[in-house]
Amino acid sequence: MKKLINDPENVVAESVEGFGWAHDDIVEIRTDPLFVLRKGGAVQGQVGLVSGGGAGHEPLHAGFVGEGMLTAAVPGAVFTSPTPDQIQPALAAADGGRGVLAIVKNYTGDVLNFETAVELAEDEGTSVRTVVVTDDVAVEDSLYTAGRRGVAGTLAVEKIAGASAARGDDLDTVTAIAERVCSQVRSMGVALAAPTVPHVGRPSFDLADDEVEIGIGIHGEPGRHRIPAASADDIAQMLLDPVVDDLGLGSGESVLLFVNGMGGTPQSELYVVYRQARRLLEGRGVTVARSLVGSYVTSLEMQGASVTVLRLDDELTQLWDAPVRTAALHW
Amino acid sequence: MKKLINDPENVVAESVEGFGWAHDDIVEIRTDPLFVLRKGGAVQGQVGLVSGGGAGHEPLHAGFVGEGMLTAAVPGAVFTSPTPDQIQPALAAADGGRGVLAIVKNYTGDVLNFETAVELAEDEGTSVRTVVVTDDVAVEDSLYTAGRRGVAGTLAVEKIAGASAARGDDLDTVTAIAERVCSQVRSMGVALAAPTVPHVGRPSFDLADDEVEIGIGIHGEPGRHRIPAASADDIAQMLLDPVVDDLGLGSGESVLLFVNGMGGTPQSELYVVYRQARRLLEGRGVTVARSLVGSYVTSLEMQGASVTVLRLDDELTQLWDAPVRTAALHW
């Protein structure tokens, strides 16, 4: 294993410390327990937004803390849920007096630990709602999940709910908008090569030199099937078709198309996949009204990509376009 | 070779086409010959900025086209200079009546082809100055270079010269500022694993499982030496010390610290390197006044990172902070 790390036990703490120093105009780091808070903490009079999960998916979630998106992010160890006693103080710190929405990717550990943390927070007077993201159409149930996994669509939930909170919506409204995004977003991914978890020290799975895994999870969980390496255009179609079918997208609709890199794939390849996914959508009469291309929801240095489609309406488009100022998303 | 591409011959054209579609609010794509132009073309009354070079370093350069940075970017084939008859129309298109600055990384093919293109452009009435970026302290002369290579410091030249042009400076002033950045910026990189050029189909070099290459070039050119895999903190010091020494940085000075990913390295590792580089600078009494961390000047999916330091003065800091709105940098 060759990585730019020191002791694997310290990689998350050191990385978050560096992140905090590099972005001290946007965030502040709490270390006991560890979480990333928007600089200056909760915005009084706004609903707070908190997300979190195992590290290794950067810039998700800490890279999305800031104006117009998350109030706090709670990183666990690599691919490991943060603990309830780590999440609860983040929920409390995010409360600006109008309650907090927790955005949780659907992995059993995350769901259970957030549930416990929310109970603790409610006991201490923080009003919390929770949405669980389940956008991955690849499989029902998985290594760490009952039901569908939460993957790159989480970014859209965090961005749009963050804009809802920033315009002053109350907790019920922010929650309803987050749930609307969850109901309208779907994703599917592919792996070309496995990542290596630092404290494990060997690749998370084996792929032959001539095969790729269609429907991969962001922790390297199995997908639908392994196929011989294929062209980007063919793979883009294998990812897009199930997403479009599951959404029931029809001609005349508008979408956000988000092509996400898994961490080890060059940006040039992501744009090749984006190009084909866009052509296919347009061929179905679907308008790609908004686009995002980049490595935002990663799996360490895994090579691969995912395709996410969000069905847009006027309000979701407006909230997507609203200003955001975080380390990883800025417009 | 597993990559998300179609025919290797088409990867640049398809990737740039996708890039243009995804960012049609910022850029427009010219296809015959191929270059990326700021949407709406040259800004009348402002000096134009043009850069270019082989593809495979994305987001450099096309990702830096837009308000406050480049007017046009000219991509060659992967790791191959664009041609003079491709560069000349980009120079002409970038001319808003006050001349054009060409920013060229120091590789022999780029330097020669830009020279020829500048002669063609001057013949057709475009006034052009050229700066050559030579920030890589690792080696003198290299596979494709006489003198030092131009690497991640190019981003700082493009950003700061772009801000100078955007505030209305004349061509002599923009050129002088670009030259000042060139004189004050230094970089050095490390590779953990080699990239694979699509039309070659095999890794650009061999590294044993237990070794890394200190001083790597962004096309995989040899560095200073190969060493056994070391900790991130030790590697950060091996990259930073030559940079600081070459700059002659002393206590009390202020710098931009830029930790750049080579394409296949997770963001979390870049922040671990940033953390140590910052500690070392502060230990020398140097203030890290500005920071940038991310994969901006890449080498396809090469695993590794580079450390860039720019000595700041008040004017360079102000120009660095000036608004920028491109696909890859935005503040």
Side-chain angles (χ1 to χ4, degrees):
Chain A
M1 177 183 66
K2 284 188 291 189
K3 285 181 177 287
L4 288 169
I5 62 173
N6 299 301
D7 184 338
E9 293 302 310
N10 301 332
V11 61
V12 175
E14 291 177 354
S15 176
V16 171
E17 185 172 51
F19 176 84
W21 291 349
H23 304 288
D24 62 3
D25 54 332
I26 297 176
V27 299
E28 51 190 74
I29 308 300
R30 299 291 172 89
T31 54
D32 188 23
L34 182 68
F35 62 93
V36 177
L37 185 64
R38 179 175 165 163
K39 184 168 182 161
V43 181
Q44 291 307 310
Q46 285 185 11
V47 169
L49 253 68
V50 175
S51 192
H57 307 301
E58 291 75 19
L60 185 85
H61 299 274
F64 304 141
V65 172
E67 188 183 323
M69 215 159 163
L70 297 179
T71 318
V74 194
V78 174
F79 293 178
T80 303
S81 173
T83 58
D85 60 348
Q86 191 186 357
I87 300 166
Q88 183 271 325
L91 294 169
D95 189 5
R98 297 189 72 196
V100 177
L101 177 66
I103 299 172
V104 184
K105 302 192 300 302
N106 189 35
Y107 301 97
T108 303
D110 292 294
V111 170
L112 291 175
N113 286 344
F114 266 89
E115 269 177 15
T116 305
V118 168
E119 283 168 21
L120 294 170
E122 295 265 6
D123 286 349
E124 306 216 347
T126 309
S127 181
V128 186
R129 302 269 190 293
T130 302
V131 295
V132 178
V133 187
T134 60
D135 58 313
D136 188 344
V137 303
V139 293
E140 300 295 330
D141 304 333
S142 188
L143 276 185
Y144 314 113
T145 316
R148 286 180 170 179
R149 301 175 298 221
V151 292
T154 309
L155 180 153
V157 181
E158 295 178 359
K159 168 66 187 79
I160 288 173
S164 168
R167 73 178 178 187
D169 290 348
D170 65 18
L171 184 55
D172 285 342
T173 306
V174 175
T175 305
I177 282 174
E179 284 169 347
R180 194 155 104 228
V181 179
C182 289
S183 74
Q184 302 297 336
V185 68
R186 302 287 188 281
S187 302
M188 190 152 146
V190 63
L192 279 63
T196 296
V197 175
H199 62 265
V200 176
R202 58 175 190 282
S204 300
F205 53 91
D206 295 312
L207 269 178
D209 282 348
D210 60 349
E211 64 181 5
V212 303
E213 175 123 7
I214 300 289
I216 193 77
I218 58 171
H219 310 90
E221 308 97 308
R224 289 189 176 183
H225 44 249
R226 293 184 174 189
I227 60 163
S231 73
D233 283 357
D234 286 349
I235 288 175
Q237 180 150 20
M238 287 180 230
L239 302 182
L240 184 74
D241 281 351
V243 161
V244 169
D245 292 346
D246 201 89
L247 266 179
L249 265 187
S251 180
E253 297 202 90
S254 280
V255 300
L256 163 72
L257 171 59
F258 169 26
V259 172
N260 174 60
M262 294 296 196
T265 287
Q267 199 183 79
S268 51
E269 298 182 23
L270 302 180
Y271 283 109
V272 172
V273 172
Y274 169 86
R275 171 182 173 274
Q276 171 71 347
R278 180 163 175 146
R279 280 156 32 121
L280 293 168
L281 283 165
E282 291 177 347
R284 287 169 176 255
V286 174
T287 300
V288 177
R290 296 293 182 274
S291 299
L292 185 68
V293 181
S295 295
Y296 293 104
V297 181
T298 64
S299 178
L300 295 167
E301 75 278 32
M302 187 158 83
Q303 292 187 353
S306 60
V307 172
T308 295
V309 175
L310 168 65
R311 178 188 272 119
L312 289 172
D313 56 35
D314 288 348
E315 186 180 34
L316 295 187
T317 306
Q318 197 173 50
L319 292 168
W320 177 260
D321 288 346
V324 59
R325 183 168 177 268
T326 68
L329 270 196
H330 192 145
W331 59 72
Chain B
M1 176 182 68
K2 282 188 289 189
K3 286 179 176 286
L4 289 170
I5 62 172
N6 300 301
D7 183 338
E9 293 301 311
N10 300 332
V11 61
V12 175
E14 290 176 356
S15 176
V16 171
E17 185 172 50
F19 176 83
W21 290 349
H23 304 289
D24 61 3
D25 54 331
I26 297 175
V27 299
E28 51 190 74
I29 308 299
R30 300 292 172 89
T31 53
D32 188 24
L34 182 69
F35 63 92
V36 177
L37 185 64
R38 180 175 164 162
K39 185 170 181 161
V43 181
Q44 292 306 310
Q46 285 185 10
V47 169
L49 253 69
V50 176
S51 193
H57 306 301
E58 291 76 20
L60 184 86
H61 300 273
F64 303 141
V65 172
E67 189 183 322
M69 215 161 164
L70 298 179
T71 317
V74 193
V78 174
F79 293 178
T80 304
S81 172
T83 58
D85 60 348
Q86 191 187 354
I87 300 166
Q88 183 270 325
L91 293 169
D95 189 5
R98 297 189 71 197
V100 178
L101 176 66
I103 299 172
V104 185
K105 302 193 300 302
N106 189 35
Y107 300 97
T108 304
D110 292 295
V111 170
L112 291 176
N113 286 345
F114 266 89
E115 268 178 15
T116 305
V118 169
E119 285 170 21
L120 294 170
E122 295 265 7
D123 286 348
E124 307 216 346
T126 309
S127 182
V128 188
R129 302 268 192 290
T130 302
V131 294
V132 178
V133 187
T134 59
D135 58 312
D136 188 344
V137 303
V139 293
E140 300 294 330
D141 304 333
S142 188
L143 275 185
Y144 314 113
T145 315
R148 285 180 171 180
R149 301 175 297 222
V151 293
T154 310
L155 181 152
V157 181
E158 295 179 359
K159 169 66 187 80
I160 289 174
S164 167
R167 73 178 178 187
D169 290 347
D170 64 18
L171 184 55
D172 285 342
T173 306
V174 175
T175 305
I177 283 173
E179 284 170 345
R180 194 156 103 226
V181 179
C182 290
S183 74
Q184 301 298 335
V185 69
R186 301 287 188 281
S187 301
M188 190 152 144
V190 63
L192 279 64
T196 296
V197 175
H199 62 265
V200 176
R202 57 175 190 282
S204 300
F205 53 90
D206 296 311
L207 269 178
D209 282 347
D210 61 349
E211 63 180 5
V212 303
E213 174 123 9
I214 300 288
I216 194 75
I218 58 171
H219 310 89
E221 307 98 307
R224 288 188 177 185
H225 45 250
R226 292 183 175 189
I227 60 163
S231 73
D233 283 358
D234 286 348
I235 288 175
Q237 180 150 20
M238 287 181 229
L239 302 183
L240 184 75
D241 280 352
V243 161
V244 169
D245 292 344
D246 201 90
L247 265 179
L249 265 185
S251 180
E253 297 202 89
S254 281
V255 300
L256 162 72
L257 172 59
F258 168 27
V259 173
N260 174 61
M262 293 297 196
T265 287
Q267 199 182 80
S268 51
E269 298 182 23
L270 302 181
Y271 283 109
V272 172
V273 172
Y274 169 85
R275 171 182 174 274
Q276 171 70 349
R278 180 163 176 148
R279 282 156 31 121
L280 293 168
L281 283 166
E282 291 176 348
R284 287 170 176 255
V286 174
T287 300
V288 177
R290 296 294 182 273
S291 300
L292 186 69
V293 181
S295 295
Y296 292 104
V297 180
T298 64
S299 178
L300 296 167
E301 75 277 32
M302 187 158 84
Q303 292 188 353
S306 60
V307 172
T308 295
V309 176
L310 168 65
R311 177 187 273 119
L312 289 172
D313 56 35
D314 287 348
E315 185 180 33
L316 296 187
T317 305
Q318 195 173 51
L319 292 168
W320 177 260
D321 288 345
V324 59
R325 183 169 178 269
T326 69
L329 271 195
H330 193 150
W331 58 71

